[in-house]
Amino acid sequence: MDGRTTSCHFAYSIDKSHQEEPRIVSLRLYLVRHGETLANIQKIVVGQSDSPLTKLGQRQARKLGQCSILKDTSFWRRYSSDLGRAVHTAKLIDSHHTFQLDERLREIAKGARQGFPKSYTLDQCMAWFRERPEEIPKHESSADAWHRMSSFILQLFQEARQSESRGDRQNILVVCHSGTLRLLLHKLVPRAHPLLEVTSDTTGALDDSLRFQIPNTSLTIMDISVPESCIASLQEKSWIENVKSKLVELNWVGHFDNL
């Protein structure tokens, strides 16, 4: 040894093929609007009030439940809005399984317009409450409704992450309403999607002139997935910024034949 210090350098090669891929939590949502109601025929704004299914609406729901697209699918969970028209639809679609009722799936609250013809302006509706403003029904903005809807979706991701079959895509049947379905599509499906055209005002809120209709008992299928790490914190911002979505089917009504 001559007293000099020798510096040794070691090079490490990282084999990326052995790095663990981030775990993905995947859901396939089968989204159904309730059957035709009396208010639908009368063109009345229902919101979070209720209206019974018509005879046609009941047939629509039964026919959908008989279709292989639902009968041949193994569902991890089944949910319905707790409003009567959605609950009735869910029972007619599948009377052999229990649907969990969730108020977060309710229609968007329409405020003063609730119960009035769709042709009425807001000013016409408000005139009815001039002497009794305390009776104006609850109103929700798109942001209010999305807050509860996103809470529901996040809960699904959390429970799928903790389930025994984690790693598998979970199929979930949801019966709800046209307003909440449009909001879900608006938030999770890219605007440029060829099947979907959504308009918005300058604030980013949903516009009443959405360019697509959601027929009663139509079926929309959507795949959504996020990395597991994005839902661990239970924060909406984390998962919504990292969600990947695929619109598999929009407004499928194959059961309308021979209604």
Side-chain angles (χ1 to χ4, degrees), residues 35 52-54 58 61-62 80-81 83-93 175:
L53 298 185
T54 63
Q58 294 176 44
R62 290 193 189 95
S80 172
S81 157
L83 296 178
R85 59 192 183 275
V87 175
H88 193 185
T89 300
K91 289 179 178 179
L92 292 173
I93 288 173
V175 180

Side-chain angles (χ1 to χ4, degrees), residues 163-183:
S163 71
E164 293 181 1
S165 56
R166 57 183 295 182
D168 297 332
R169 185 181 66 200
Q170 306 288 11
N171 297 317
I172 301 165
L173 179 58
V174 178
V175 180
C176 54
H177 308 269
S178 60
T180 45
L181 285 172
R182 288 192 188 95
L183 184 57

Side-chain angles (χ1 to χ4, degrees), residues 226-241:
V226 292
E228 185 178 46
S229 59
C230 293
I231 56 175
S233 63
L234 284 173
Q235 293 180 353
E236 175 189 326
K237 184 177 181 181
S238 179
W239 77 262
I240 195 64
E241 289 180 348

